[in-house]
């Protein structure tokens, strides 16, 4: 079985045995906390078990921008994605994966591209700006959709020049120019009054589906210098940074990394960078992390592994070939997560109220 799994763990302080408070207790839903507070006469207590974003399971595409260049190597990059709006409308995709290259001279333009291979120059949209701008009509027409997620990584960075700072600012600028700040679920929105995101998730649980309708979550998928620079500078506005951050699993126990709440566990390459195997034990770990209140993301081109990832509680399952998901069911593209779903979860409840 050839596949790939990328696990994203939000609030990963509980994933090590020696840091098992969250694994033992699980995150407390905000509704549970509210229900314990005395309600004034005449007021109806809040739903003690509202649907939250970690109760969802999303369809995802890998390298969501990719377009096959048939004049080059058709076997190595033999897949083409639809434009983002069509992926969302026709294939039910709600989780998009991007790799970005900057203009090497100024970093003022970011291009969707996975590698420097000549067969991988083609993309369904010419730049990060135009990818989101072309997606905007779907956004405008679907303002009540459940949360949409973008995993944004770097394929090439200005690792030793001030251009890296510019690149990170441009990354956020484009989001603000195309979607607007009000449409972004920011780390500060989750953290609230808590000292760290990990504390917030454990105490309050994830935001509700209702509170995040029409919003987007952006995750910076980098463990190296870009991550460090973003932590140092905090983007355009350190108090209102737009991106969640991939942290270093080796520092998961460090109390100073409480806001580095995204961790990527990548499988080892099996001699081929486009097809690689994943240890089946990752599925067990994924299920445990999902049950503990974390968000996990897996990706595979194998139908059996896609089914296994879904059963293990992946919150998003990605593939280069989204037709493997089948048609969008009548209840909509968002499923109830089999591991985290509350009692009575109905996939139709994730859909907009018409």
């Amino acid at each position: 079985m050839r596949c790939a799994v990328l696990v994203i763990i939000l609030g990963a302080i509980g994933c090590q045995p020696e840091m098992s408070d969250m694994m033992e207790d699980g995150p407390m839903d905000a509704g549970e906390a509210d229900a314990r507070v005395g309600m004034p006469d005449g007021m109806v207590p809040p739903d003690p078990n509202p649907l939250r974003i970690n109760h969802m399971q999303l369809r995802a595409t890998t390298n969501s921008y990719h377009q096959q260049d048939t004049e080059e190597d058709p076997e190595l990059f033999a897949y083409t994605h639809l434009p983002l709006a069509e992926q969302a409308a026709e294939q039910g995709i709600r989780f998009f994966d991007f790799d970005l290259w900057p203009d090497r001279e100024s970093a003022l333009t970011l291009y969707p591209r996975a590698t420097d291979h000549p067969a991988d120059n083609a993309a369904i949209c010419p730049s990060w700006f135009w990818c989101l701008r072309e997606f905007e009509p779907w956004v405008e027409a679907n303002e009540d959709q459940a949360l949409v997620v973008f995993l944004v990584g770097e394929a090439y960075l200005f690792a030793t020049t001030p251009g890296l700072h510019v690149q990170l600012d441009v990354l956020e600028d484009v989001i603000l120019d195309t979607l607007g700040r009000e449409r972004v679920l920011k780390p500060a929105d989750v953290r609230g009054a808590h000292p760290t995101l990990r504390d917030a998730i454990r105490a309050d649980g994830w935001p509700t589906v209702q509170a995040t309708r029409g919003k987007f979550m952006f995750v910076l998928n980098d463990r190296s210098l870009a991550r460090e620079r973003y932590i140092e500078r905090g983007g355009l506005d350190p108090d209102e940074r737009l991106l969640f951050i991939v942290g270093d699993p080796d520092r998961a126990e460090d109390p100073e990394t409480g806001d580095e709440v995204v961790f990527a566990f990548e499988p080892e390459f099996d001699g081929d960078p486009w097809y690689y195997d994943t240890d089946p034990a990752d599925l067990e770990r994924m299920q445990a992390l999902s049950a503990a209140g974390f968000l996990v993301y897996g990706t595979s081109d194998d139908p059996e592994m896609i089914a296994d990832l879904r059963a293990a509680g992946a919150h998003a399952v990605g593939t280069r070939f989204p037709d493997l998901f089948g048609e969008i069911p009548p209840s909509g593209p968002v499923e109830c997560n089999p591991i985290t779903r509350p009692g009575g979860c109905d996939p139709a409840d994730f859909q907009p109220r018409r």
Side-chain angles (χ1 to χ4, degrees), residues 168-237:
L168 292 170
D169 288 348
V170 169
L171 179 60
E172 287 199 340
D173 268 330
V174 168
I175 295 171
L176 294 176
D177 289 345
T178 53
L179 298 176
R181 187 180 297 271
E182 70 282 355
R183 284 200 180 110
V184 179
L185 176 66
K186 303 178 292 296
D189 298 332
V190 179
R191 186 185 303 109
H194 297 281
T196 70
L197 287 169
R198 296 174 183 177
D199 292 326
I201 294 167
R202 180 181 180 188
D204 299 336
W206 289 102
T208 66
V209 171
Q210 190 61 33
T212 55
R213 287 193 182 280
K215 290 184 178 290
F216 294 79
M217 180 179 181
F218 291 88
V219 180
L220 179 63
N221 185 23
D222 181 81
R223 299 184 191 175
S224 58
L225 190 58
R227 166 181 160 272
E228 295 174 8
R229 295 290 171 85
Y230 193 74
I231 292 171
E232 291 172 2
R233 298 187 65 227
L236 299 171
D237 183 346

Side-chain angles (χ1 to χ4, degrees), residues 43-57:
M43 291 187 64
V44 178
D47 183 351
N49 199 18
L51 287 176
R52 297 182 178 278
I53 61 175
N54 67 310
H55 297 152
M56 300 192 300
Q57 189 169 77

